[in-house]
Amino acid sequence: MATPAHPHPLLRLDGIHKSFGANQVLSGIDLDIDAGQVVCLIGASGSGKTTLLRCVNHLEIPTAGRVILAGELIGLYTRRNRLVPLPPRELAAQRASIGMVFQHFNLFGNKTAIENIIEAPTQVTRTPRQIARRAAIELLGRVGLADKADSYPRQLSGGQQQRVAIARALAMSPKLMLFDEPTSALDPEIVGEVLDVMRSLAADGMTMLVVTHEMSFARDVADRVVFIDGGVIVEEGAPHELLSAPRHERTRRFLARLL
């Protein structure tokens, strides 16, 4: 089911296909997300959610289709009437506007929290170190870790590491934040501290595309919930509608295992 067309969405996914050899993972995903919206992707493991997320910032190159962010084609440009891949340096510059938070934090173990956060601004956008550091201190305060600037990842809990990872993504002032099951690697008692930060970002107007199994978060925070199965969008809608009264049998079966 395609998202109704909007004249100026912040993010537009247009006919995204992705295959790995003979394995077709995504089969024509169309999705629009407006600025300030939170969209949650739900579905069983292997349904294509993470692959779709990685296609947005071209960590995975779509087999076909286009990703357009703020009117700019991501990962491709036109040459002699053909779409060809962007050079790595230009793709890296585009990715700077798309923050991504992974399942397993991916922090540099040999760098402190603040060093992890200033790495991209100082290396990618050549922000002066002192300016990057001041911004990083503000971000650590924003995620409730003002006192952990000089702590190494091994000295932090999983929830604290994930909050540092969120601050690191925010350091590039992204237009869009991608979250790939950000709480799935956490102990249940600390899931809430990460979800609270994400709720705060949503309240501040951050545009977010979130792969999650946290149905309470989707119900409370998302503007739309999108159910993916077998590499296609089966159903999407407002959380109270899709989660309470799904129209499709595949959605009902999936939710019956979770709710």
Side-chain angles (χ1 to χ4, degrees), residues 134-214:
R134 283 198 298 271
I137 289 170
E138 290 182 12
L139 286 170
L140 282 169
R142 187 175 179 183
V143 300
L145 293 173
D147 60 336
K148 299 296 185 182
D150 297 319
S151 297
Y152 288 89
R154 64 180 178 275
Q155 298 170 317
L156 302 173
S157 70
Q160 289 170 336
Q161 289 184 62
Q162 193 61 295
R163 284 186 280 158
V164 171
I166 293 172
R168 177 181 60 182
L170 292 172
M172 297 298 286
S173 301
K175 298 172 184 173
L176 170 70
M177 285 283 286
L178 307 176
F179 292 86
D180 185 12
E181 299 196 31
T183 60
S184 65
L186 302 178
D187 293 332
E189 64 269 19
I190 58 176
V191 165
E193 64 190 49
V194 173
L195 294 180
D196 285 346
V197 170
M198 294 172 65
R199 287 188 175 94
S200 175
L201 292 178
D204 288 344
M206 175 61 70
T207 310
M208 298 160 59
L209 181 57
V210 183
V211 172
T212 187
H213 284 104
E214 299 289 342

Side-chain angles (χ1 to χ4, degrees), residues 3 21 34 38 66 126 139 145 148 187 197 211 223 225 240:
T3 304
D34 295 337
V38 177
R66 302 181 305 160
R126 302 300 179 187
L139 286 170
L145 293 173
K148 299 296 185 182
D187 293 332
V197 170
V211 172
D223 295 287
V225 176
H240 67 277

Side-chain angles (χ1 to χ4, degrees), residues 105-157:
F105 325 139
N106 290 4
L107 298 176
F108 295 110
N110 62 339
K111 295 181 182 293
T112 63
I114 199 164
E115 288 170 342
N116 268 278
I117 294 168
I118 70 173
E119 177 75 12
T122 56
Q123 298 300 314
V124 177
T125 58
R126 302 300 179 187
T127 303
R129 190 174 182 85
Q130 283 305 110
I131 294 175
R133 186 175 178 86
R134 283 198 298 271
I137 289 170
E138 290 182 12
L139 286 170
L140 282 169
R142 187 175 179 183
V143 300
L145 293 173
D147 60 336
K148 299 296 185 182
D150 297 319
S151 297
Y152 288 89
R154 64 180 178 275
Q155 298 170 317
L156 302 173
S157 70

